[in-house]
Amino acid sequence: MPAYNLFTNKAGRLRSGWRLGIFVVTFSIISALLGFGLVLMLAFGFGFEADRALGGFAGHVAQTFILFTAAGVAGWACGAIIEDLPWRALGWAIHKGWLRDFLLGSVIGAVSLTLAVLLGTIGGGFHFTFNSSAATAIARTLIFSGLLFVFAAAAEEVLFRGYPLQTLTRARLVWLGILITSVPFALAHLKNPNVIRGVTFANTVLAGVWLAVAYLRTRSLWLPLGIHWAWNWTMAAVLGLPVSGITRLTPSPLLKTLEAGPTWLTGGAYGPEGGVACTAALVVSIVFVWFAPWFSATTEMKKFTDDENPTRKEMSENALRH
């Protein structure tokens, strides 16, 4: 029996645990450098007004930019250097069906959130009225929050459903990958305002599983991106509900909540993601995405995650053909 190698596996790759650790360290360094650079730039540009410059919408844009850039660069670098993979393996390739996946994901995200709210409404938890604000203010909220939610969702997807989930999938540890990415995804939301810790954590873990399943069906980030942004946008910009406890990103939503309760059902001030109506909707949508017949991965995208060493496997297959 050959001796166990602590660092490399049978495919000649660095083991997935080391790869994941290198990604975390690389991501942390890049995000820290970007954050430090942003603070310096604001300090020189705005002086003591830096805190004000990062407040509200601008602060979310800056945070999202740092998260997206750090996760994207770290994921690409780890894939290229450690696993000899191209950039498109990270899941942002313009492949066959990418736009369809994004649009269908957007519909699924909006419908799933609507289902959660409908269940809460049936239980007496939600009552809505149209916003009396000016049409231009509502339009600005719908458009600009939509752009921000797409960007923010892309940042979270490339971090949690990007390299960490993908490298563990290549190691045939997909369920571990779902767990390792979904739990930190949930923990990151516990710092938000008005958290209901037990239900909030469980629902956000379920959301992480839902988005991971969407990635695994297509081996691409377009489907989970569509689901993620549309869920948030429908909740905040259309229905006027808090997104994970945050309300300031959508000052003039299409609808306004007149009354909300009981908290266990609706999530109260945290928003639907803190209530059991959301739990039921997430379970239904996870099952739907898993079995929906419209989703499949292209041959190329499957190749990037079906084998520990897809480049070597491709070279071997080409050699056999010639």
Side-chain angles (χ1 to χ4, degrees):
M1 181 181 294
Y4 176 82
N5 191 315
L6 180 63
F7 296 101
T8 59
N9 55 31
K10 294 179 181 179
R13 292 295 193 205
L14 189 66
R15 290 191 177 275
S16 57
W18 294 110
R19 301 195 303 252
L20 184 59
I22 291 170
F23 169 82
V24 171
V25 171
T26 305
F27 166 77
S28 300
I29 291 172
I30 294 173
S31 56
L33 290 173
L34 288 173
F36 181 68
L38 179 63
V39 169
L40 282 181
M41 183 181 70
L42 289 173
F44 282 111
F46 295 90
F48 293 105
E49 299 296 317
D51 288 341
R52 184 180 301 176
L54 285 176
F57 191 88
H60 279 277
V61 171
Q63 182 180 4
T64 298
F65 170 77
I66 291 171
L67 185 66
F68 179 84
T69 304
V73 171
W76 163 76
C78 289
I81 296 170
I82 302 174
E83 301 188 68
D84 195 26
L85 293 169
W87 160 256
R88 63 184 182 277
L90 198 57
W92 291 128
I94 304 300
H95 57 76
K96 181 181 178 181
W98 74 272
L99 183 58
R100 178 205 59 197
D101 290 346
F102 175 74
L103 295 176
L104 283 175
S106 299
V107 172
I108 291 169
V111 170
S112 299
L113 187 278
T114 303
L115 174 61
V117 172
L118 178 61
L119 293 174
T121 301
I122 291 170
F126 294 114
H127 301 275
F128 298 96
T129 185
F130 280 101
N131 192 347
S132 60
S133 298
T136 53
I138 295 172
R140 280 197 302 269
T141 291
L142 291 170
I143 294 169
F144 288 110
S145 68
L147 295 173
L148 178 60
F149 283 132
V150 170
F151 192 23
E156 291 191 352
E157 290 312 305
V158 76
L159 175 59
F160 293 106
R161 264 65 63 181
Y163 186 79
L165 175 61
Q166 294 165 18
T167 198
L168 290 171
T169 301
R170 281 187 284 274
R172 308 292 175 85
L173 297 171
V174 62
W175 289 109
L176 179 60
I178 292 174
L179 178 66
I180 283 179
T181 55
S182 297
V183 170
F185 179 64
L187 291 173
H189 288 75
L190 293 183
K191 297 179 182 179
N192 288 11
N194 305 308
V195 164
I196 304 170
R197 290 195 173 270
V199 182
T200 296
F201 179 77
N203 280 347
T204 314
V205 169
L206 275 176
V209 173
W210 182 34
L211 295 165
V213 167
Y215 167 76
L216 292 167
R217 287 300 313 275
T218 58
R219 308 300 170 92
S220 167
L221 294 174
W222 295 109
L223 178 60
L225 173 60
I227 290 172
H228 195 156
W229 90 270
W231 168 280
N232 288 341
W233 182 77
T234 304
M235 181 162 39
V238 177
L239 300 179
L241 293 162
V243 176
S244 303
I246 299 170
T247 57
R248 61 183 179 272
L249 299 179
T250 51
S252 298
L254 180 64
L255 301 178
K256 283 196 170 185
T257 306
L258 295 177
E259 183 181 344
T263 299
W264 64 266
L265 179 67
T266 66
Y270 186 79
E273 293 163 326
V276 297
C278 176
T279 309
L282 286 171
V283 171
V284 169
S285 198
I286 288 170
V287 174
F288 176 81
V289 171
W290 183 257
F291 289 103
W294 311 297
F295 305 122
S296 62
T298 65
T299 302
E300 180 187 47
M301 298 312 293
K302 279 181 65 68
K303 178 190 70 176
F304 289 139
T305 48
D306 274 357
D307 191 81
E308 266 280 29
N309 197 333
T311 305
R312 187 177 70 177
K313 183 178 180 181
E314 182 180 31
M315 291 173 62
S316 299
E317 290 172 350
N318 288 337
L320 288 173
R321 282 196 293 267
H322 296 290

